[in-house]
Each structure stands twice: as structure tokens, then as C-alpha cells.
Amino acid sequence: MGINILEGTFNTTDARVALVVSRWNSFITDRLQSGAVDAFKRHGINEANLTVAYCPGSFEITLTAQKLLETGKYDGIVCLGVVIRGATPHFDFVAGAVTQGINNLNSKFGLPVSFGVLTTDTIDQAVERAGTKSGNKGEEAALALLEMISLIKKIR
């Protein structure tokens, strides 16, 4: 007898997914959204199964995702935002709140909520992670979501 291995794939073409996208720093979040949508399309997700909900900033991502999950219409959510460190502790509060909030949603709903919120020290670092030097973290968050949706279906 061998070990029973469970792992997700990206072949979840019938998945119903939503993206929660912060409008704050939209010059970055627009690129993250494009990367995520492109990844979903490349892996066979029909546009009719994609929903995008815009919220004002990263702090509001958690509530927006929660309200989408409460509808029961989605297999998972991708959260996209960017928090750039400044001269005040605001960065720590917002980054910590959105991180903990997304983590809590995963536990509360038992559905994947992927973390595509950039937390960077500079604007340049954010740009690098939104489709230039360091890839596109929106695309990575979308792929992580597809893999988790598939894995959860296998576990059930």
C-alpha cells in the first residue's frame, strides 16, 4: 500500500470566483487584477464565473470578501490590494488588519480566500510585484486560489 497523496491542480474550470480589489493605489491594483483575470482565463475559467468587487482600500477588503462569501455563490475569493509603508504606524495597522481578516475568513467559511495584498516598503517594490521584475502577485494569488479550490474538492 502506498501513501494517499492529496494535492490540488489548476484544472478547476467550473469554479465560481470573485476578486476583491482595492481602489487605493489603483495604478498597482489594476495590474494585479489584470494578472489574476488573465490567469483565470488561461486556466479555463469562464468570464461568466468571474466577479470583481471594488472597495475603497485594503482595510475594507475583509468585509467585502465576507459579504461575497455570505452569498454562497463563490468557491473562493482573491483579495488584491497594496499597503505601502509610510512615516507613521498606519502601515502596521492596515497590513495587520487585512492579513488577520483574510486568515479569519478562511477559517470561518472553510473556503479559500487567497492573499494578494502587497505590503511593501516603497512604491518601486509594489510596481516590481505587479508585473515587472518580481512577476505578478495577482496572478500568483489566482493560481493559489484555483489550487486550493481543487484540493478542497478532493478532500471532501
Side-chain angles (χ1 to χ4, degrees):
M1 272 172 99
I3 297 172
N4 187 21
I5 297 175
L6 298 172
E7 56 186 344
T9 68
F10 304 119
N11 299 326
T12 313
T13 57
D14 61 340
R16 298 163 302 143
V17 298
L19 292 88
V20 176
V21 182
S22 165
R23 286 194 317 260
W24 189 259
N25 291 314
S26 63
F27 68 100
I28 300 292
T29 59
D30 288 350
R31 293 177 184 184
L32 296 173
Q33 177 184 335
S34 293
V37 169
D38 183 57
F40 285 135
K41 288 180 180 179
R42 279 193 335 267
H43 287 86
I45 302 295
N46 187 312
E47 279 190 7
N49 288 351
L50 290 176
T51 299
V52 178
Y54 295 100
C55 62
S58 291
F59 189 81
E60 293 80 20
I61 286 173
T62 302
L63 178 60
T64 307
Q66 176 181 321
K67 291 303 178 184
L68 288 165
L69 288 166
E70 287 173 352
T71 69
K73 295 178 183 177
Y74 304 100
D75 298 308
I77 309 285
V78 173
C79 297
L80 302 174
V82 61
V83 185
I84 301 169
R85 188 177 302 279
T88 68
H90 180 77
F91 170 90
D92 298 315
F93 298 131
V94 174
V98 71
T99 301
Q100 189 60 50
I102 290 170
N103 184 50
N104 290 344
L105 291 176
N106 278 288
S107 298
K108 179 178 179 179
F109 288 91
L111 292 171
V113 181
S114 74
F115 189 84
V117 180
L118 303 179
T119 54
T120 64
D121 290 323
T122 66
I123 291 173
D124 288 339
Q125 289 174 344
V127 169
E128 288 173 3
R129 288 157 178 76
T132 61
K133 290 181 185 178
S134 299
N136 187 306
K137 301 305 179 186
E139 175 185 11
E140 291 176 18
L143 294 175
L145 185 76
L146 289 178
E147 187 173 351
M148 285 302 298
I149 290 170
S150 171
L151 178 60
I152 289 169
K153 285 181 179 181
K154 288 180 181 180
I155 291 170
R156 288 183 178 155

